[in-house]
Amino acid sequence: MLLALTLVASLLTPVQHLTVPGAERQVIAALDDLTTAGTVKSGHTDPSDWAGLHSAATVNPTGVPGVQIDGYFPDTSTTNATHGWNHDSQFVIRLPDKWNGGLVVGGTPGNREQYANDYTISDWVLAKGYAFATTDKGNVGAAFHEDGRRPGDAIAEWNERLTQLTVAAKTVVRQRYGTKPRRTFVAGISNGGYLVRWQLENRGWLYDGGVDWEGTLWRVKGDNLLNFLPPALKAYPDEAGVRATGFAAGSEFLWPFHRQYYWELTQQLYQKELDPTYQGAPADYDYDKRRPYAAVAKIALTGRITKPLITIHGTLDTLLPISRDSDVYAKMVGPHRPFRYHRVEGGNHLDSLVDAYPGQLTPMLPAFRNAFEELEGWVSP
C-alpha cells in the first residue's frame, strides 16, 4: 500500500497557481466534496455520463474535499458539448486535500464523456487519497468515427489523449503537492480497459501498473469485435449458432437485450471507423474478406506489456465475450510478463443488469476494487 500522507490545506500550493500544461482552457474550483455525492450538487459531474455502469446497490465513499480542474486540450473536433464548450479532448483532474502520494488516470468506456468513470472509479480512489484524472479520449458520441482524416485515426487519438493527460496530470500533481506522484496507475473499463492495455504496451514508462476491466481487444489478424459480432447477428436467435461465435453457454438470457441495444450498434460504429466504404448489412460484414488491416494496425494490441497489469473479465460478458477477448489477450501476454488475470464467474459487461437479474449475475465493480488493491500490494516496495 502507498504510505498515507496527511496534508493540511495551508501547505498546498494555492489553486490559482495551478496550470495544466498544454491545456487550451481550464476552470479551477475548490470543492467541499470531490465525490459524486458532492459534485452532482455543485454541477461538477454529469450523472447521465456514468448512468448504467453500476448496480443500484453500490455504496460509495463521500466527503473528500479538494480541487477540481475541468478543461480541454487543443482539438479541431466538437462532439463534446459538456459545459457548452462544444470542444473535444475535455478532461477532469481532481486533487484531494489529503493526498496519499498516488495518481490514477484513465479514459472513458464506450464513447462517453469525461465524467463516465466518476461513480465507478473516481469516488473510490479519491477516498483512498489518490489524485484522479480522466479524458473523454478526444472524440465522443455515436459520430466519433467522423473524427480524423483516415480510417482508424479516431481510435488512435484515444491513446494519444490519455498519454497527453497523464503527462499533464503528473505536472499538476507536482504543482499542487510539491512533489511528483510516487505511484501512477492507469485504470479503465471496456474501451477504457483497451487504453490501459495499449498504454502499458507502448508508454509503460509513465506508469507503475494498471487495472484493465474487460478491455476491448483489437488485433490485425485474429479476434476482434468486427469478426465475432457479425456472425452472432446472423445466427441470432439460434442458440448453437450464437454460442459458436464465442458467447458463453449460460448467457442466453442476456442475448435479447444485447442484440437489441449493443451488438448491431457496436458493429456499425466500429466498422464505420475502421472500414467506412462498406455498405452492406452489419450481419454480412466479413472482416477477413474486407481486410481493413491498415486501419486496425494503428490501434492493434500486441500483449507486450512492460509494467504490472491486472485484467478482470466476466464469464457472462455478452458484448465482448471472454473467450474472444481477455482469454485471448492473456495468451498474447504470455507467462513471462508482469500479468495477472481474473475471470469473474457470472460477471457481465454492464453492472446495471445485476439489478434486472438478481442472483444470476455477479457485479464487476467489487472485483475491480479487489484488483486495484491487489495491484497496490504488487507494486509497492
Side-chain angles (χ1 to χ4, degrees):
M1 295 286 291
L2 294 174
L3 176 64
L5 303 178
T6 301
L7 301 176
V8 296
S10 62
L11 298 179
L12 301 177
T13 299
V15 297
Q16 64 268 27
H17 293 162
L18 300 177
T19 302
V20 180
E24 183 176 336
R25 182 171 186 168
Q26 65 175 49
V27 177
I28 304 175
L31 302 177
D32 293 332
D33 189 358
L34 294 172
T35 74
T36 53
T39 54
V40 169
K41 297 177 182 177
S42 67
H44 288 86
T45 188
D46 180 356
S48 67
D49 210 14
W50 33 268
L53 297 179
H54 61 275
S55 165
T58 304
V59 177
N60 274 10
T62 64
V64 181
V67 173
Q68 175 161 319
I69 308 175
D70 290 286
Y72 54 74
F73 295 109
D75 200 350
T76 58
S77 57
T78 60
T79 53
N80 190 341
T82 304
H83 306 299
W85 289 341
N86 299 317
H87 194 292
D88 289 341
S89 299
Q90 293 193 36
F91 61 82
V92 59
I93 300 173
R94 297 189 175 104
L95 306 163
D97 288 348
K98 294 183 178 180
W99 183 53
N100 71 359
L103 168 66
V104 177
V105 296
T108 56
N111 306 110
R112 301 185 185 218
E113 297 163 359
Q114 66 272 23
Y115 299 124
N117 291 318
D118 282 8
Y119 201 88
T120 49
I121 300 177
S122 178
D123 283 359
W124 189 70
V125 300
L126 285 169
K128 289 171 72 68
Y130 287 92
F132 175 78
T134 193
T135 168
D136 68 2
K137 307 195 300 287
N139 41 72
V140 303
F144 82 94
H145 52 83
E146 297 177 4
D147 194 17
R149 293 189 301 169
R150 296 165 297 179
D153 282 356
I155 296 178
E157 184 181 353
W158 299 354
N159 297 313
E160 297 168 5
R161 294 301 181 181
L162 184 51
T163 298
Q164 179 182 41
L165 177 65
T166 301
V167 172
K170 286 188 170 190
T171 299
V172 173
V173 165
R174 180 188 284 272
Q175 293 171 7
R176 180 62 170 161
Y177 303 111
T179 185
K180 66 181 182 180
R182 295 178 56 233
R183 290 288 185 270
T184 300
F185 296 134
V186 57
I189 307 168
S190 194
N191 280 340
Y194 157 74
L195 295 179
V196 173
R197 296 173 177 181
W198 193 95
Q199 291 290 313
L200 295 187
E201 290 180 6
N202 297 278
R203 302 290 185 268
W205 60 87
L206 290 173
Y207 308 97
D208 295 284
V211 179
D212 150 36
W213 176 345
E214 66 200 17
T216 310
L217 179 61
W218 290 110
R219 305 173 73 195
V220 174
K221 296 181 180 180
D223 297 273
N224 66 57
L225 61 83
L226 288 182
N227 60 25
F228 63 73
L229 284 179
L233 288 168
K234 185 176 285 290
Y236 184 84
D238 176 66
E239 292 189 358
V242 175
R243 285 195 295 268
T245 68
F247 290 92
S251 68
E252 292 86 355
F253 69 101
L254 297 167
W255 295 355
F257 175 87
H258 287 80
R259 170 63 182 86
Q260 180 177 358
Y261 293 105
Y262 286 102
W263 292 354
E264 186 167 323
L265 176 63
T266 301
Q267 192 278 335
Q268 285 182 313
L269 292 182
Y270 292 93
Q271 172 258 302
K272 289 177 180 178
E273 161 66 358
L274 297 165
D275 191 3
T277 63
Y278 177 73
Q279 299 297 318
D284 293 332
Y285 186 80
D286 190 326
Y287 177 84
D288 294 320
K289 287 185 178 179
R290 294 290 303 178
R291 300 165 63 91
Y293 295 160
V296 177
K298 297 178 183 179
I299 63 172
L301 296 168
T302 64
R304 294 192 288 271
I305 58 172
T306 61
K307 290 293 176 65
L309 172 63
I310 299 177
T311 288
I312 64 170
H313 203 124
T315 60
L316 296 185
D317 192 318
T318 313
L319 178 58
L320 302 178
I322 192 170
S323 67
R324 304 295 298 271
D325 190 292
S326 293
D327 285 355
V328 177
Y329 189 67
K331 293 178 181 177
M332 292 168 60
V333 174
H336 304 300
R337 295 186 176 95
F339 181 67
R340 297 178 185 178
Y341 178 32
H342 301 308
R343 304 172 90 251
V344 181
E345 291 297 325
N348 182 39
H349 202 74
L350 299 172
D351 267 4
S352 60
L353 290 181
V354 171
D355 305 318
Y357 300 99
Q360 293 180 267
L361 292 174
T362 302
M364 293 292 295
L365 183 54
F368 167 80
R369 292 176 176 176
N370 290 339
F372 189 92
E373 292 189 331
E374 179 183 349
L375 180 67
E376 289 178 309
W378 186 7
V379 304
S380 294

